[in-house]
Amino acid sequence: MTPPPLPLTLERIASPVGEVLLMSDDAGRVRVLDFEDYAERMARLLRRHYGPGGWSVREAVAPSVGRRALEAYFAGDLAAIDSLETATAGTAFQRQVWSALRTIPAGATTTYGALAARMDRPKAVRATGLANGANPIGIIVPCHRVVGADGSLTGYGGGLERKAWLLRHEGARTG
């Protein structure tokens, strides 16, 4: 028997880097965060994580805790998103990477190699990068804080301009 679809609540949030799409489950845990112009990628990630038809979407009727935290983050309270509860599918390794990303404080950056080493998986640099790229919860799970080994900006699912803005907003130095 097929389990019922996971009900998700969608909120559209105006931000300095474009409209953000935030989806939370009934327990208020953030499941997905992406940008409006990347809605197709978000749908692909949902299919990958929950299977075709494995979720349903309804529009929010009231602002969620996640929405209020994101609005505070964009207004300058960088710590507002730190305590948000998240939930993801994905492999055990992906979830380990996503958990490690949440330990990178605002204003700091790291590299794929350093992140892999932090997880006691120093040879898993490429796998760490792939897991970083598959992160379904941008900004809150701060994959934008990972830079190239030389400090340069490297790929970001939301585009390098957004990554640069987020890092400047957080006061991070990049090479």
Side-chain angles (χ1 to χ4, degrees):
M1 187 166 154
T2 306
L6 174 69
L8 297 175
T9 301
L10 170 66
E11 294 177 275
R12 298 172 188 279
I13 305 164
S15 84
V17 288
E19 187 173 58
V20 172
L21 303 176
L22 177 71
M23 289 193 190
S24 303
D25 62 24
D26 286 346
R29 297 174 298 194
V30 175
R31 295 282 184 147
V32 178
L33 184 151
D34 215 326
F35 299 98
E36 173 64 36
D37 50 333
Y38 287 94
E40 256 318 297
R41 179 189 58 208
M42 184 178 74
R44 272 194 317 275
L45 286 172
L46 283 166
R47 281 191 299 277
R48 186 177 305 146
H49 288 268
Y50 304 110
W55 75 96
S56 62
V57 179
R58 62 182 175 252
E59 296 284 332
V61 294
S64 68
V65 170
R67 179 190 189 110
R68 289 189 300 271
L70 275 168
E71 289 172 339
Y73 167 84
F74 284 119
D77 180 1
L78 302 178
I81 59 174
D82 291 349
S83 63
L84 283 175
E85 232 183 299
T86 62
T88 58
T91 67
F93 180 76
Q94 287 174 325
R95 288 191 311 271
Q96 181 184 17
V97 171
W98 300 333
S99 179
L101 287 169
R102 292 201 77 187
T103 68
I104 306 166
T109 59
T110 193
T111 64
Y112 296 117
L115 191 61
R118 182 184 302 178
M119 298 183 312
D120 294 323
R121 308 278 299 262
K123 293 184 179 182
V125 176
R126 181 168 292 195
T128 299
L130 290 172
N132 191 60
N135 172 22
I137 308 175
I139 301 173
I140 296 166
V141 177
C143 52
H144 63 277
R145 295 177 187 159
V146 180
V147 297
D150 63 356
S152 65
L153 295 188
T154 55
Y156 178 61
L160 287 180
E161 300 81 21
R162 282 189 177 118
K163 180 174 185 158
W165 187 94
L166 290 166
L167 291 172
R168 279 193 311 274
H169 178 63
E170 295 177 352
R173 291 185 171 179
T174 58

